[in-house]
Amino acid sequence: MKARNGTEPTTGTTDSGNPARVDSSTIYSRIFDAIVDHKLPPGTHLKEDELCDLFGVGRTRVRSALSRLAADHVIELVANRGAFVASPSVEEAREVFRARRVIEGHLIRRAAERRNPPMQQALTEHLHGEHTAREAGDTAQVIRRCSRYHQLLADQADSPIMAGFIRELIARSSLIVAIYEKSKPDKCEIDEHRLLSDLVLAGRADEAAALMDRHLQGIEDRLDLKRESGTINALSQSLGFN
Amino acid sequence: MKARNGTEPTTGTTDSGNPARVDSSTIYSRIFDAIVDHKLPPGTHLKEDELCDLFGVGRTRVRSALSRLAADHVIELVANRGAFVASPSVEEAREVFRARRVIEGHLIRRAAERRNPPMQQALTEHLHGEHTAREAGDTAQVIRRCSRYHQLLADQADSPIMAGFIRELIARSSLIVAIYEKSKPDKCEIDEHRLLSDLVLAGRADEAAALMDRHLQGIEDRLDLKRESGTINALSQSLGFN
DNA sequence: CTAACAATCATCGTATACAATATTTGTCCG
DNA sequence: CGGACAAATATTGTATACGATGATTGTTAG
């Protein structure tokens, strides 16, 4: 199973102090991150038994984690058939980006109004890491840094409920990009994280919100959302029918 | 247990065709509705065994439903202690209403842009039912109708993901009102559902969004959000310490 | 009477075994 | 060879039993 790549269990201590077992939150986070980082492609079957073997735990913890992942819409639970990494439709894709523009637009304004030295440090460090990963050609780390930048920014708005919504929307965006991306980000888009941070840290809320809107629109415009269904078309492309 | 009131199980068929059992979705919906309708107050302990007896099912289904309710933040699962109807803090309360103003503001605009005869019928019928319940002094039905009006409106915007966020926010609002409400809605607030519908059905998106903002602010202003913690103060009030 | 401790009980967490359902494989027939 | 059907296998769903944890009650000492 592909899930073996990059999701090896560790034997760190769990919250409950048991050194041999990972708890369901860890399982959840591992799978969530693997999905957001494009390590588990849309449609991947997540079999309970394999996850149990992989994490060295019983089914209860695995099922609890899978249930939470389903609540976040990053996997789909199909009765009697199992858990699959979600494959968002074109309609979902459009709404996810619209929802992000609405909510992230609001949150970035609040962040700009609340700028402070710890925020500056957090954003600056993150961008430095992003830049370093790009220079190093570390694709996996670039993907990680880019997707987490938006979450970091949302977390600066003192709005944990909406930051939670954004968390879900970012994960779904990641799946959407995996399915529908037809071109890589250009230089302008790559620079936009820095520009966004500059505007936020300068307290220019209106401009930050407007740039966020354009930034998200730009990501959406890179997607081929005219296709009826991503996974079916990916299959027919693989088989040479296009 | 208070949950007995109004949550008697029925023996309707489940999706799996087994006539004797209710499935976890039904359990989820029953409890969710009871919470939104103020039949299960904040802090209520939802014991697995009692729910199993009540619905005539095993623990697996009950736990699945409780897990989903926790994902919606309408209950809190406390390790080794059980499930309790959530008791939102003052900070949560403020954010919930802010989030509703952001998201419902967006959705009502879309609804106004999309008005059509089925929408008109749905909104009109709902308001009629709300009016009828008020005339009849049917408090429970009034509460039901009022909280479901916002969901109905959100569902007109062809935005299922955000309608899902609103669903959660409405449920949390209901809990917040149960804890923090210091005065009943006045006549102006009561009329606002009709005014909102009129504006939506007239396609006046900007005015509808502005009224929705004021409407939600009005609900928030009726709450006593200066209290540190609703449940502790409710207890000290009950014991005559205030 | 109050506080501390122990015992008991209630409730949740989880492992194991079995049931139910879907998928895959094998066999047979036209 | 392809299609239909049956059997075997894989995987999820659930019941039951036991373990773990927290809450409540009872007892004792100061």
Side-chain angles (χ1 to χ4, degrees), chain A residues 149-198:
Chain A
Y149 173 78
H150 285 264
Q151 188 65 60
L152 179 64
L153 203 41
D155 289 337
Q156 308 307 316
D158 193 27
S159 304
I161 297 172
M162 284 192 268
F165 293 157
I166 290 297
R167 188 164 187 282
E168 175 183 328
L169 293 172
I170 286 170
R172 296 171 90 162
S173 301
S174 190
L175 289 168
I176 288 159
V177 167
I179 298 174
Y180 297 109
E181 189 179 49
K182 67 186 177 189
S183 61
K184 295 298 180 185
D186 63 18
K187 177 67 173 165
C188 289
E189 187 180 316
I190 291 168
D191 282 342
E192 275 170 350
H193 286 177
R194 180 172 305 283
L195 292 175
L196 286 166
S197 288
D198 289 344

Side-chain angles (χ1 to χ4, degrees), chain A residues 17-65:
Chain A
N18 185 334
R21 298 281 188 86
V22 293
D23 64 9
S24 68
S25 288
T26 305
I27 298 167
Y28 166 87
S29 297
R30 287 282 177 71
I31 298 174
F32 187 94
D33 288 349
I35 291 171
V36 171
D37 297 341
H38 289 176
K39 292 176 182 172
L40 287 178
T44 307
H45 189 178
L46 305 173
K47 299 182 184 182
E48 292 186 0
D49 274 5
E50 292 188 356
L51 294 171
C52 293
D53 290 343
L54 196 56
F55 290 106
V57 297
R59 289 172 67 198
T60 311
R61 296 186 190 197
V62 163
R63 296 169 71 84
S64 175

Side-chain angles (χ1 to χ4, degrees), chain B residues 7 9 35 52 102 135 144 153 175 238 240:
Chain B
T7 55
I35 291 172
C52 292
V102 170
E135 295 287 310
R144 277 182 60 87
L153 202 42
L175 290 168
S238 300

Side-chain angles (χ1 to χ4, degrees), chain B residues 103-192:
Chain B
I103 303 175
E104 284 191 65
H106 170 76
L107 293 181
I108 198 169
R109 285 175 182 278
R110 275 182 66 90
E113 290 159 5
R114 287 169 151 67
R115 65 195 192 281
N116 61 20
M119 188 193 300
Q120 175 166 5
Q121 181 169 356
L123 293 179
T124 304
E125 283 179 3
H126 191 94
L127 286 175
H128 181 71
E130 187 175 317
H131 178 77
T132 302
R134 281 193 203 281
E135 295 287 310
D138 185 346
T139 303
Q141 187 67 355
V142 170
I143 291 175
R144 277 182 60 87
R145 287 274 166 172
C146 284
S147 66
R148 284 158 181 70
Y149 173 78
H150 284 263
Q151 187 66 58
L152 178 65
L153 202 42
D155 289 337
Q156 308 307 314
D158 192 26
S159 303
I161 298 173
M162 283 191 270
F165 293 157
I166 290 298
R167 188 163 187 281
E168 175 183 328
L169 293 171
I170 285 169
R172 295 171 92 161
S173 301
S174 190
L175 290 168
I176 288 160
V177 166
I179 299 174
Y180 297 108
E181 188 180 51
K182 66 186 178 188
S183 59
K184 296 297 179 186
D186 62 18
K187 176 66 172 164
C188 290
E189 186 180 317
I190 293 169
D191 282 343
E192 276 170 348

Side-chain angles (χ1 to χ4, degrees), chain B residues 4-20:
Chain B
R4 291 192 200 274
N5 302 330
T7 55
E8 296 291 346
T10 65
T11 49
T13 57
T14 63
D15 288 347
S16 61
N18 183 334

Side-chain angles (χ1 to χ4, degrees), chain B residues 32 44 51 82 116-117 192 194 208:
Chain B
F32 187 95
T44 305
L51 293 172
N116 61 20
E192 276 170 348
R194 180 173 306 282

Side-chain angles (χ1 to χ4, degrees), chain B:
Chain B
M1 183 178 104
K2 297 184 193 173
R4 291 192 200 274
N5 302 330
T7 55
E8 296 291 346
T10 65
T11 49
T13 57
T14 63
D15 288 347
S16 61
N18 183 334
R21 298 281 187 88
V22 293
D23 64 10
S24 67
S25 287
T26 304
I27 298 167
Y28 165 88
S29 297
R30 287 283 177 71
I31 298 174
F32 187 95
D33 287 348
I35 291 172
V36 172
D37 296 342
H38 288 176
K39 291 176 183 173
L40 288 178
T44 305
H45 190 178
L46 305 174
K47 300 182 183 182
E48 292 185 0
D49 275 3
E50 292 188 356
L51 293 172
C52 292
D53 291 343
L54 197 54
F55 289 106
V57 298
R59 289 173 67 197
T60 311
R61 296 185 191 197
V62 164
R63 294 171 71 86
S64 176
L66 290 177
S67 181
R68 282 181 62 198
L69 289 161
D72 285 348
H73 299 94
V74 293
I75 67 169
E76 295 167 355
L77 293 181
V78 184
N80 294 314
R81 293 180 52 205
F84 301 84
V85 177
S87 304
S89 65
V90 167
E91 292 73 34
E92 275 183 89
R94 292 193 195 283
E95 192 193 343
V96 161
F97 279 94
R98 177 158 52 85
R100 287 185 67 181
R101 289 196 292 274
V102 170
I103 303 175
E104 284 191 65
H106 170 76
L107 293 181
I108 198 169
R109 285 175 182 278
R110 275 182 66 90
E113 290 159 5
R114 287 169 151 67
R115 65 195 192 281
N116 61 20
M119 188 193 300
Q120 175 166 5
Q121 181 169 356
L123 293 179
T124 304
E125 283 179 3
H126 191 94
L127 286 175
H128 181 71
E130 187 175 317
H131 178 77
T132 302
R134 281 193 203 281
E135 295 287 310
D138 185 346
T139 303
Q141 187 67 355
V142 170
I143 291 175
R144 277 182 60 87
R145 287 274 166 172
C146 284
S147 66
R148 284 158 181 70
Y149 173 78
H150 284 263
Q151 187 66 58
L152 178 65
L153 202 42
D155 289 337
Q156 308 307 314
D158 192 26
S159 303
I161 298 173
M162 283 191 270
F165 293 157
I166 290 298
R167 188 163 187 281
E168 175 183 328
L169 293 171
I170 285 169
R172 295 171 92 161
S173 301
S174 190
L175 290 168
I176 288 160
V177 166
I179 299 174
Y180 297 108
E181 188 180 51
K182 66 186 178 188
S183 59
K184 296 297 179 186
D186 62 18
K187 176 66 172 164
C188 290
E189 186 180 317
I190 293 169
D191 282 343
E192 276 170 348
H193 286 177
R194 180 173 306 282
L195 292 175
L196 286 165
S197 287
D198 289 344
L199 291 172
V200 167
L201 296 172
R204 294 153 69 173
D206 288 347
E207 287 159 84
L211 179 59
M212 177 61 88
D213 191 87
R214 293 199 299 276
H215 177 63
L216 293 171
Q217 186 66 57
I219 299 175
E220 186 178 351
D221 291 341
R222 285 199 287 108
L223 308 177
D224 183 1
L225 295 181
K226 293 188 177 55
R227 293 151 62 174
E228 285 186 349
S229 164
T231 54
I232 293 184
N233 279 359
L235 186 62
S236 59
Q237 267 188 326
S238 300
L239 297 182
F241 286 119
N242 277 17

